[in-house]
Amino acid sequence: PPPPPHFHAEDVIRDRVSCLVGSEMCIRDRVSALEELAARVARQSGIKIELTHENPILISDNETATHVYRIVQEAINNAVKHARADRITLILDANEKEAVIEVRDNGQGLPCDVGKGDGLGLRTMFHRCNLFGGSLDVSTHEEGGTRVRCCFPLHPEQQDI
């Protein structure tokens, strides 16, 4: 479907081209890429998006980093398209063993039939997460809205402490 008329054409084109080209991200650009994604989607949609990162996450594998970025991108896009939310929170955190990335919205939560339809986005998110040994949980959280939580193992050389 075409983007809403208030979307900036150059943002839509840049986003679609980036899906086709440049699938790998530079290590130093990962958090800034998520910040840019959040700012761009907030500008396009009018939804407030807050990004917090408690502890640094350093993923040395470009393929894993790209999958993580695409999972976050899909979760944010789903919140914008389906949740009727006015706030999205993106939380990045890590300890010695694992990284946790959450995308939460304050929208209407998940429909009862989620996962039963033909939704390629959710299936792709689960598939991507599985490729790098992670787990993905998509649920309605206690405050309302939807929570997408991606947890994945970090190796000692991948953790910046």
Side-chain angles (χ1 to χ4, degrees), residues 26-147:
C26 296
I27 291 171
R28 69 185 181 286
D29 295 336
R30 291 190 180 123
V31 171
S32 62
L34 292 174
E35 289 170 342
E36 182 181 312
L37 171 67
R40 186 175 64 243
V41 173
R43 185 176 63 247
Q44 291 172 344
S45 67
I47 296 174
K48 180 182 178 188
I49 302 178
E50 177 185 354
L51 172 69
T52 62
H53 40 96
E54 301 296 321
N55 296 312
I57 298 175
L58 179 60
I59 305 169
S60 59
D61 174 33
N62 275 336
E63 188 174 329
T64 298
T66 300
H67 287 308
V68 168
Y69 178 86
R70 296 295 181 209
I71 289 168
V72 170
Q73 183 180 42
E74 182 66 22
I76 289 174
N77 287 338
N78 284 346
V80 169
K81 286 170 40 178
H82 304 296
R84 297 187 185 143
D86 62 9
R87 189 179 72 248
I88 298 170
T89 305
L90 172 57
I91 302 165
L92 312 175
D93 198 7
N95 60 33
E96 316 74 54
K97 296 182 181 185
E98 74 174 357
V100 177
I101 298 177
E102 279 190 17
V103 178
R104 298 180 188 173
D105 67 62
N106 68 343
Q108 62 188 3
L110 294 170
C112 295
D113 63 349
V114 72
K116 296 178 184 174
D118 294 325
L120 184 60
L122 276 177
R123 288 197 318 251
T124 302
M125 289 167 60
F126 279 100
H127 175 73
R128 285 183 181 276
C129 196
N130 206 18
L131 288 174
F132 55 87
S135 63
L136 188 73
D137 178 56
V138 181
S139 60
T140 299
H141 61 84
E142 54 275 356
E143 296 98 32
T146 302
R147 180 188 77 167

